[in-house]
Amino acid sequence: MNTDHQQQIQKAAQLIGSAKCAVALTGSGISVESGIPPFRGAGGLWEKMDPMEVAHIDSFRRDPARVWELLIRDLKECLDRARPNPAHLALARLEAMGILKGVITQNVDGLHQAAGNRDVIEFHGTFAWQRCMDCQRRLETHRVELDQIPPRCECGGILRPDCVFFGEMIPPEHLHRSRQLSERCDVMLVVGTSAVVQPAAFMPVIAKQCGATVIEINPESTPLTANISDLLVKGPAGQVFTGIMAAMADYTVR
Ligand SMILES: [Zn+2]
């Protein structure tokens, strides 16, 4: 830990500690320390398979068993094991403290709710639940048995993840609420995302235009760093948040 890094942690702790309405925008980077591989970027799932073939709604409709075999089964096994890491837990703690008013996430892993956050906007829906394609009944993914592929609802309908496939729309109400939160917040935390993919990319811009301080927590600088972020704390999200929460405790005691 060099001094620069410590100073950035201190600065972030002060800004977060004095925020009245903080909002977090999170992406796959926050879940890496929970053992969940990212979809995009180097080493991501989409380097190994073509999302248009395995994660497009048309492919799923055409051959649900194949998409379950190629993609969903492995994801389920990975997510059944995954637990929130210190970054998820810190965001839940900040919500409990009344500082954080909402989480906007690009992730479908459900780890924010598992950590205890109650107000979570999931742009791409959630993989933590499956939905029957016929009767729309929802079932928690970890309760789904894989003795038949594709798994079926008790009505006989095929189960699909309750997330947004390629070729499907992001629910408009999620966009609307995300914009509102981004306009209202005084601090926006951008965690584990380079925020280059829309609509997430737009949220820090809105926050900044409305006068918020933008704090970025990412392993490397991103396109946001130069133009939008007021502060970049470099490092893995869990590690950085452990530092920030410790610094906030000191800062509050004083
Ligand atoms: Zn059903």
Side-chain angles (χ1 to χ4, degrees), residues 1 5 8-9 29-30 32-33 87 190-193 216-221 232-241:
M1 289 288 163
H5 185 72
Q8 285 162 346
I9 297 254
I30 197 173
V32 168
E33 288 154 280
V190 180
V191 189
T193 174
E216 197 186 331
I217 296 166
N218 272 321
E220 297 298 334
S221 55
L232 164 68
V233 190
K234 270 194 199 180
Q239 213 175 304
V240 169
F241 267 106

Side-chain angles (χ1 to χ4, degrees), residues 35-37 39 45 67-83 108-109 127-130 139-151 159-161 163:
I36 300 176
F39 291 101
L45 213 49
V67 173
W68 264 98
E69 287 293 0
L70 286 176
L71 177 69
I72 307 175
R73 180 203 282 272
D74 285 353
L75 275 181
K76 170 176 156 51
E77 278 165 6
C78 179
L79 292 187
D80 282 352
R81 284 194 305 265
R83 295 291 172 267
V108 294
D109 54 41
F127 195 90
W129 291 82
Q130 302 288 319
L139 184 65
E140 279 178 283
T141 301
H142 69 88
R143 294 186 193 281
V144 173
E145 302 287 345
L146 295 183
D147 40 13
Q148 57 166 353
I149 296 285
L159 292 176
R160 59 160 285 175
C163 54

Side-chain angles (χ1 to χ4, degrees), residues 131-138 152-159:
R131 185 173 90 226
C132 172
M133 291 183 81
D134 289 346
C135 74
Q136 309 300 320
R137 181 172 169 267
R138 289 168 94 234
R152 288 177 186 270
C153 170
E154 54 191 31
C155 82
I158 288 169
L159 292 176

Side-chain angles (χ1 to χ4, degrees), residues 97-117:
M97 290 164 78
I99 293 174
L100 190 78
K101 304 299 183 190
V103 177
I104 305 166
T105 188
Q106 299 165 276
N107 300 342
V108 294
D109 54 41
L111 290 178
H112 287 301
Q113 290 92 332
N117 280 101

Side-chain angles (χ1 to χ4, degrees), residues 166-186:
F166 284 92
E168 293 186 306
M169 247 181 53
I170 291 177
E173 69 273 17
H174 292 191
L175 282 179
H176 180 69
R177 276 219 63 223
S178 303
R179 281 205 198 94
Q180 276 183 331
L181 279 175
S182 304
E183 284 165 9
R184 269 180 45 207
C185 67
D186 55 3

